Amino acid sequence: LIYLSKHTEKPSKTKLLKLLYLLDEFSVKLRGFPMFGLTYKVWQLGPVCEEVFIDLSNSPTLLKDYVVVEYDEKGLSTVKPKRAFDDGEFSDHDMQLMEQVAKTYRRSTAKTLVNITHRESSLWYRVAKAKGLLELFEKGATNNSEFTIDFKDLVAGDALKTQVYEHYLETMETHRALRS
């Protein structure tokens, strides 16, 4: 979030949430595993990591040492870094991907990024359609769901990336079990 807020214009909460998602999606497409490994739910405005959304909606607690969210008189959010970006926890490939995403979407609005994640070919759209959420979202009957995005569909047809992704999932499950 520090990097994205420094390298994009008008880094609103929604814009940064979409950029986090796109980083994970592009990472899966390129390498077979997500950059951050966040869970994204199918919400009206696209895929959303609920924990990050909640943290950026209030006074950040999980991210309090890294970013602050400021609101203007119209209630529009801007996420600002509280410290310098440290690339020490990112690989060269991670940095290249972040640089490319920031450069590509630097001037994009949150609405543009929502539209990108809503394309008929997107994972969000496929899940929303399969679970009957599109009409509910359009009518305003709901704005969120508990359904999640499964990145495995992005690597279907590529045996090596599928194997990498399945190994990633197994590793994450092992880490969760060890923490329990």
Side-chain angles (χ1 to χ4, degrees), residues 87-105:
D87 65 359
E89 293 191 31
F90 297 95
S91 71
D92 290 344
H93 293 289
D94 291 341
M95 290 306 304
Q96 289 171 354
L97 185 56
M98 280 197 291
E99 289 167 9
Q100 186 61 43
V101 166
K103 181 179 176 185
T104 300
Y105 300 109

Side-chain angles (χ1 to χ4, degrees), residues 14 16 22 35 52 64 86-87 90 150:
T14 301
L16 293 182
L22 289 171
M35 180 179 282
V52 177
K64 70 179 185 245
D86 177 7
D87 65 359
F90 297 95
D150 184 358

Side-chain angles (χ1 to χ4, degrees), residues 150-163:
D150 184 358
F151 288 118
K152 188 174 184 178
D153 290 344
L154 294 176
V155 295
D158 184 322
L160 179 58
K161 286 182 182 169
T162 298
Q163 185 179 10

Side-chain angles (χ1 to χ4, degrees), residues 88-128:
E89 293 191 31
F90 297 95
S91 71
D92 290 344
H93 293 289
D94 291 341
M95 290 306 304
Q96 289 171 354
L97 185 56
M98 280 197 291
E99 289 167 9
Q100 186 61 43
V101 166
K103 181 179 176 185
T104 300
Y105 300 109
R106 177 176 182 75
R107 291 184 176 88
S108 297
T109 64
K111 185 175 181 173
T112 298
L113 295 174
V114 167
N115 289 337
I116 288 169
T117 61
H118 282 204
R119 290 178 179 156
E120 287 188 24
S121 60
S122 73
L123 294 177
W124 176 90
Y125 186 89
R126 288 187 228 165
V127 174

